[in-house]
Amino acid sequence: MSAGTNTPVIGVLALQGDVREHLIALASADAVARPVRRPEELAEIDALVIPGGESTTMSKLAVLFGMLEPLRERVRAGMPVYGTCAGMIMLADKLLDGREDQETLGGIDMIVRRNAFGRQNESFEAQVDFAGIEGGPVEGVFIRAPWVESVGGAAEVLATYDGHTVAVRQGNVLATSFHPELTGDDRVHAYFVDMVRAGL
């Protein structure tokens, strides 16, 4: 699947959300990036980014496009995945304030609260210290952002803001409450690309 020596092919789930920004950030971090909408496209990638957007809509579209079970299978099989905002919600094993019919992929032993930081008009930016990323804090863009209420023993907290967990990693799966793809700083994407590259 890799395009060249140690160059990972990373898909961005293109059902809904800020797909283009992730494609640009991944390319800046020396990955081959492509949109993914169908199971056959999912089969051709080394790793996947699940972008921000509206988590309920995203889960419904995943069902509609026949992607939900193939996504779950790849996550269970160990494919590296990075979810931002709604993507974090999709990767949670359990949700608070989710809709009854809302589906998740699982992948991280964490309980996530949807829209925990408030509504759209309460969006904000903040400096976030991120374990494992050099060069000082990363800029976090929080838009109707979730936070992590609690994590299980296998999950590692990488960043907190205002006392709340906003970045978590469990094995090959990474999730952030915030949107690094909107800042022009590709260090979080580079961190994920390095995770992927280590497994190739």
Side-chain angles (χ1 to χ4, degrees):
M1 291 178 216
S2 298
T5 308
N6 239 13
T7 303
V9 177
I10 301 180
V12 178
L13 188 63
L15 300 177
Q16 194 242 357
D18 44 358
V19 176
R20 181 176 166 273
E21 293 85 350
H22 278 292
L23 292 170
I24 292 167
L26 288 166
S28 295
D30 296 324
V32 174
R34 56 176 65 152
V36 171
R37 289 184 188 86
R38 295 177 178 83
E40 55 269 27
E41 294 167 338
L42 183 64
E44 296 171 353
I45 59 173
D46 297 310
L48 182 71
V49 170
I50 304 174
E54 211 294 306
S55 59
T56 311
T57 303
M58 203 177 290
S59 71
K60 287 177 178 172
L61 288 170
V63 173
L64 192 66
F65 278 76
M67 287 290 282
L68 192 68
E69 284 312 314
L71 282 165
R72 281 179 174 155
E73 286 170 20
R74 288 293 310 266
V75 172
R76 277 196 294 264
M79 175 181 69
V81 185
Y82 171 34
T84 61
C85 197
M88 170 183 264
I89 293 166
M90 291 286 286
L91 292 171
D93 283 348
K94 188 175 178 189
L95 295 180
L96 297 175
D97 300 334
R99 296 187 185 173
E100 283 185 19
D101 61 345
Q102 188 159 356
E103 301 271 9
T104 70
L105 303 174
I108 299 181
D109 183 6
M110 62 181 176
I111 299 172
V112 171
R113 185 178 293 278
R114 293 173 73 241
N115 301 338
F117 282 107
R119 300 188 171 279
Q120 190 87 17
N121 63 357
E122 297 169 279
S123 301
F124 63 95
E125 295 184 27
Q127 297 288 307
V128 179
D129 290 314
F130 197 112
I133 292 182
E134 296 178 355
V138 299
E139 187 74 16
V141 178
F142 294 81
I143 304 170
R144 289 177 61 205
W147 67 48
V148 179
E149 289 274 331
S150 63
V151 297
E156 176 188 4
V157 174
L158 298 178
T160 60
Y161 174 75
D162 199 24
H164 300 289
T165 296
V166 296
V168 176
R169 177 178 177 179
Q170 183 171 325
N172 278 337
V173 185
L174 175 68
T176 60
S177 300
F178 53 89
H179 296 264
E181 75 282 2
L182 300 178
T183 66
D185 180 349
D186 64 8
R187 285 179 295 158
V188 178
H189 288 79
Y191 177 93
F192 179 61
V193 171
D194 286 344
M195 280 172 52
V196 178
R197 197 176 279 125
L200 292 179

